[in-house]
């Protein structure tokens, strides 16, 4: 178990912007930072980080919290695992205790799969370095590839023994369940009931998430068995989805963000050799076709991708689709090819660092130039093939969302292919119109239904504007005040005004009648027997009042960790809600927003009075409705109640006016 002192040290040291910055490219937006959501597919950033409040909010998915909550959400860590991860990041000493059999059994299914994969990586790596078979076969292979011991350790490379069930037996002997060994694909159940190692006799490349968790493996066979696949990947599982993973992203993420460019190649050894040569902003699609999810993973770190291809013409043409996918995501793409017979691995191995950097810089060409140079060889002087080439290039340009970029690329294409811009623009317009038309057809049914509903409401005289729920917003404002100012001590003007009216002003002043904001709110609502009507606000309110009574200080990060995920997300949303102020005319709804020259006590009193005003007015409306529905009854008592409540509202108006006049 992790000590409280260690947990406190992690909380004090971890900075939310630094932790999230390892996974998302953040850019300054006033006092906050903005980036693309790591939890949903979006092109406009709605992911906000507040360095001041030390919290984050993803407005596209609704998730939010502190640094630990982000790691738990993004990496599916348990709370202790998130603490360990951050302790390691900030070099904080932490006592690691060996998991007991009971603890392993109690771990969640997904966490159990992670634990099995991490154990496997350590087992394969240890086998490579310390067993006779591993050193003779696996280690020798990696040394032949030119990998140093430091590189082998950095990427956690390993070896799986030739024995049919060596790993499976070892994992079972260490207390890992066969169920999870099977689910991550490390063992295969045969028809005769035996479990055999999937990767036997292969050198192992662990595939890691952006935070370094082991998701799966790639294994390369070293023998001459032509029936066996040269490379074998882990099967799809709860923790490994090959279309959403990039090999090397864990080691490359910081360099990608710093250099604002990502080199994209095809194989494991390409990535490793480039790293060893000092080029660290490089990842691989692991031999699979590039996917939109993989591109979006890079998009969180940079807008620029340079695709590295070997000199094989057939392979180049097969990879053109990947370039179009990159363009569709609104990213900038360049292509760099290597001389015939070379790939990133072999070229980096024989080329000094400075020369390699210069080669990549000088030979990276724009995708238009790349397509032209590649396909013109086939077209030669054939006008029909040349026309097809031009249409193919324009088709790629049509994938680009940005209009300015499209126009620049049209001009470049016109220059290279010696064809008028007018013809290219006309072709481009046709392609874009077709895309719009196709997209429109997919949404036509939904749009027609929506329009019909709109017309029905319009014809029936029903307003189609969304009505603000004033009570909801006022209760939300109460929670916001408690979160921001709950522990602040203030003089409350309305208390002094009331004391003055009752002839007790001097008595109140002598007592130095100051209140903490949370206590003032609590006493006011208790006096009027007001209970928040929104369940989630009521739960947060009760928890906050209890927290303030039990603790001298209030730290947002500490408080968030005691809440359920649902409450934590709601609290984070409220704390990150500054942007909503500009979107609504709250004062027209009698909901007041704190001004810079307004004291906390004024703001608090104003909100409480407005809430009381609204609730009393609601009672009046209910009484009026009751009177109108009972026309023959004696309504004198009801009318008397209405008059009393109207007087109360007038008192609220008078008090509210005096509080507001202090700064109006």
């Amino acid at each position: 178990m992790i000590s409280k002192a260690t947990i406190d040290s992690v909380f004090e040291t971890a900075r939310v912007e630094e932790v999230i910055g390892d996974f998302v490219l953040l850019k300054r937006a006033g006092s906050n930072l903005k980036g693309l959501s790591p939890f949903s597919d979006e092109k406009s950033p709605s992911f906000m980080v507040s360095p001041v409040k030390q919290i984050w909010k993803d407005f596209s998915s609704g998730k939010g919290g502190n640094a630990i909550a982000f790691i738990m959400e993004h990496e599916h860590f348990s709370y202790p695992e998130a603490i360990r991860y951050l302790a390691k990041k900030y070099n904080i000493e932490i006592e690691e205790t060996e998991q007991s059999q009971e603890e392993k059994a109690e771990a969640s299914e997904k966490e159990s799969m992670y634990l099995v994969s991490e154990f496997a990586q350590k087992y394969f790596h240890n086998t490579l370095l310390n067993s006779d078979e591993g050193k003779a076969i696996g280690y020798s292979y990696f040394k032949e590839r030119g990998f140093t011991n430091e590189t082998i350790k950095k990427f956690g490379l390993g070896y799986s023994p030739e024995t049919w069930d060596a790993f499976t037996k070892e994992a079972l002997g260490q207390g890992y369940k066969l169920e999870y060994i099977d689910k991550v694909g490390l063992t295969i159940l045969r028809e005769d009931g035996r479990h055999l190692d999937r990767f036997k006799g292969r050198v192992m490349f662990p595939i890691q998430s952006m935070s370094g968790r082991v998701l799966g493996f790639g294994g390369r066979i070293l023998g001459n068995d032509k029936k066996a696949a040269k490379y074998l990947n882990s099967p799809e599982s709860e923790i490994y989805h090959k279309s959403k993973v990039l090999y090397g992203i864990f080691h490359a993420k910081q360099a990608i963000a710093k250099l604002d460019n990502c080199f994209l190649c095809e194989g494991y050894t390409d990535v490793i050799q480039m790293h060893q040569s000092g080029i660290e902003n490089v990842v691989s699609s692991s031999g699979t076709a590039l996917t939109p999810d993989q591109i979006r993973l890079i998009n969180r770190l940079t807008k620029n991708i340079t695709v590295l291809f070997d000199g094989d013409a057939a392979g180049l043409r097969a990879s053109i689709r990947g370039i179009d996918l990159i363009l569709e995501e609104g990213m900038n793409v360049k292509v760099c090819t290597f001389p015939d017979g070379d790939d990133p691995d072999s070229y980096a191995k024989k080329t000094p660092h400075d020369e390699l950097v210069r080669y990549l810089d000088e030979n990276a060409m724009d995708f238009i130039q790349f397509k032209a140079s590649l396909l013109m060889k086939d077209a030669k002087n054939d006008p029909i093939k040349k026309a097809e080439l031009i249409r193919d290039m324009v088709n790629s340009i049509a994938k680009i969302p940005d209009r300015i970029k499209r126009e620049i690329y049209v001009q470049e294409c016109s220059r290279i292919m010696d064809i008028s811009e007018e013809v290219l623009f006309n072709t481009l317009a046709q392609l874009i119109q077709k895309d719009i038309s196709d997209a429109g057809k997919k949404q036509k049914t939904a749009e027609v239904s929506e329009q019909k509903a709109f017309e029905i409401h319009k014809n029936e005289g029903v307003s189609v504007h969304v009505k603000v729920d004033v009570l909801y917003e006022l209760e939300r404002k109460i929670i916001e005040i408690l979160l921001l100012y709950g522990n602040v001590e203030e003089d409350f003007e309305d208390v002094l005004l009331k004391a003055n009216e009752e002839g007790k002003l001097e008595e109140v002043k002598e007592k130095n009648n100051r209140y903490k904001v949370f206590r003032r709110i609590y006493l006011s609502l208790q006096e009027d027997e007001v209970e928040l009507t929104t369940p989630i606000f009521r739960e947060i309110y009760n928890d906050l009042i209890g927290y303030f009574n039990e603790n001298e200080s209030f730290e947002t990060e500490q408080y968030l960790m005691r809440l359920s995920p649902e409450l934590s997300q709601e609290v984070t949303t409220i704390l990150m809600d500054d942007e909503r102020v500009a979107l609504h005319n709250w004062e027209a709804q009698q909901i007041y927003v704190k001004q810079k020259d307004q004291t906390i006590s004024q703001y608090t009193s104003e909100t409480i009075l407005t809430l009381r005003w609204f609730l009393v007015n609601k009672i009046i409306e209910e009484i009026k409705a009751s009177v109108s529905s009972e026309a023959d009854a004696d309504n004198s008592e009801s009318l008397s109640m209405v008059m009393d409540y109207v007087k109360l509202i007038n008192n609220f108006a008078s008090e509210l006016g005096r509080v507001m006049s202090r700064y109006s």
Side-chain angles (χ1 to χ4, degrees), residues 609 612-613 616 647-657:
L609 284 168
R612 293 165 71 186
W613 183 344
V616 170
K647 288 178 182 177
L648 189 56
I649 280 188
N650 289 335
N651 288 338
F652 290 159
S654 178
E655 288 183 50
L656 191 57

Side-chain angles (χ1 to χ4, degrees), residues 125 128-129 137-158 203-206 220 222 231 247 267-278 343-350:
H125 187 64
L128 176 81
L129 298 179
I137 302 174
Y139 184 74
S140 296
Y141 167 77
F142 287 130
K143 296 304 284 186
E144 286 173 13
R145 299 301 300 243
F147 299 157
T148 64
N149 289 339
E150 290 76 14
T151 297
I152 291 171
K153 182 180 179 181
K154 177 180 179 179
F155 285 90
L157 305 179
V203 288
M204 303 296 290
F205 300 86
R220 187 192 193 282
L222 300 179
Y231 277 97
Y247 182 73
Y268 304 122
T269 58
D270 293 329
V271 171
I272 297 171
Q273 197 68 254
M274 291 283 281
H275 266 265
Q276 188 166 286
S277 299
D343 55 24
D345 178 7
S346 62
Y347 194 82
K349 183 178 179 180
K350 66 184 182 184

Side-chain angles (χ1 to χ4, degrees), residues 335-505:
V335 180
C336 182
T337 59
F338 294 93
D340 286 345
D342 272 322
D343 55 24
D345 178 7
S346 62
Y347 194 82
K349 183 178 179 180
K350 66 184 182 184
T351 308
H353 171 76
D354 291 346
E355 190 177 329
L356 177 60
V357 171
R358 187 165 55 253
Y359 181 87
L360 293 172
D361 185 52
E362 293 176 355
N363 289 274
M365 65 178 74
D366 189 271
F367 82 94
I368 286 288
Q369 295 173 315
F370 166 70
K371 272 198 167 186
S373 63
L374 176 65
L375 300 179
M376 277 297 283
K377 295 175 184 176
D378 290 340
K380 294 182 181 177
N381 295 320
D382 188 329
I384 295 176
K385 286 187 176 181
K386 185 177 180 181
E388 290 174 355
L389 164 60
I390 293 171
R391 179 170 288 275
D392 184 87
M393 293 168 72
V394 174
N395 195 53
S396 290
I397 295 172
K399 306 288 185 186
I400 302 171
D402 189 281
R403 291 181 61 183
I404 296 174
K405 287 182 181 177
R406 285 203 303 262
E407 183 163 342
I408 291 171
Y409 280 125
V410 164
Q411 293 170 351
E412 182 68 7
C413 184
S414 170
R415 183 186 65 78
I416 293 173
M417 304 307 297
D418 192 23
I419 188 171
S420 73
E421 290 182 19
E422 183 181 0
V423 171
L424 294 179
F425 275 120
N426 288 338
T427 306
L428 179 64
Q430 291 172 9
L431 290 171
I432 292 173
Q433 187 58 46
K434 184 178 182 300
D435 288 342
I436 293 172
S437 177
D438 290 344
K441 288 176 183 177
K442 292 179 183 178
Q443 298 180 15
K444 188 175 181 180
T445 304
E447 288 177 359
V448 168
S449 300
E450 187 177 331
Q451 184 63 29
K452 283 182 179 178
F454 179 87
E455 291 297 332
I456 290 170
H457 286 308
K458 185 178 177 182
N459 293 334
E460 293 177 354
V462 178
S463 173
V464 295
H465 295 291
V466 177
K467 190 175 180 180
V468 174
D469 186 338
V470 177
L471 182 58
Y472 175 91
E473 294 297 340
L474 285 168
E475 292 182 349
R476 197 173 192 272
K477 194 61 66 178
I478 292 288
I479 301 299
E480 180 186 39
I481 292 169
L482 286 170
L483 289 168
L484 294 176
Y485 315 115
N487 228 30
V488 177
E489 198 171 74
E490 286 273 306
D491 283 314
F492 282 87
E493 297 290 339
D494 60 323
V495 175
L496 298 175
L497 288 166
K498 187 175 181 181
N500 186 44
E501 289 173 355
E502 296 174 356
K504 298 178 181 178
L505 182 59

Side-chain angles (χ1 to χ4, degrees), residues 66-179:
N66 56 13
I68 292 173
F70 179 84
I71 294 300
M72 292 173 68
E73 188 70 47
H74 190 273
E75 295 301 312
H76 308 290
F77 279 160
S78 64
Y79 179 72
E81 286 292 331
I83 293 292
R84 289 191 178 96
Y85 171 84
L86 292 174
K88 183 178 180 182
K89 173 179 173 62
Y90 287 98
N91 296 314
I92 298 170
E93 286 191 29
I94 189 168
E95 185 179 355
E96 291 280 359
T97 56
E98 183 66 27
Q99 281 199 319
S100 67
Q101 299 292 343
E102 291 77 16
E103 287 172 328
K104 288 176 183 175
E106 289 173 2
S108 68
E109 180 171 307
K110 189 173 283 189
E111 186 62 29
S112 295
M113 293 169 73
Y114 279 123
L115 291 172
V116 168
S117 296
E118 286 159 11
F119 167 75
Q121 187 275 319
K122 291 174 184 175
Y123 169 81
F124 295 137
H125 187 64
N126 183 63
T127 302
L128 176 81
L129 298 179
N130 298 314
S131 73
D132 291 338
E133 181 184 345
K135 287 188 283 188
I137 302 174
Y139 184 74
S140 296
Y141 167 77
F142 287 130
K143 296 304 284 186
E144 286 173 13
R145 299 301 300 243
F147 299 157
T148 64
N149 289 339
E150 290 76 14
T151 297
I152 291 171
K153 182 180 179 181
K154 177 180 179 179
F155 285 90
L157 305 179
Y159 175 75
S160 179
E162 273 284 353
T163 309
W164 280 102
D165 57 355
F167 168 75
T168 303
K169 276 186 177 178
E170 181 66 21
L172 291 173
Q174 291 295 321
Y176 294 94
K177 288 186 176 181
L178 183 60
E179 173 189 0

Side-chain angles (χ1 to χ4, degrees), residues 252-272:
K253 61 188 178 184
Q254 291 182 347
I256 291 171
K258 182 180 178 180
L259 299 172
D260 197 18
N261 185 43
C262 177
F263 290 112
L264 177 64
C265 50
E266 293 185 64
Y268 304 122
T269 58
D270 293 329
V271 171
I272 297 171

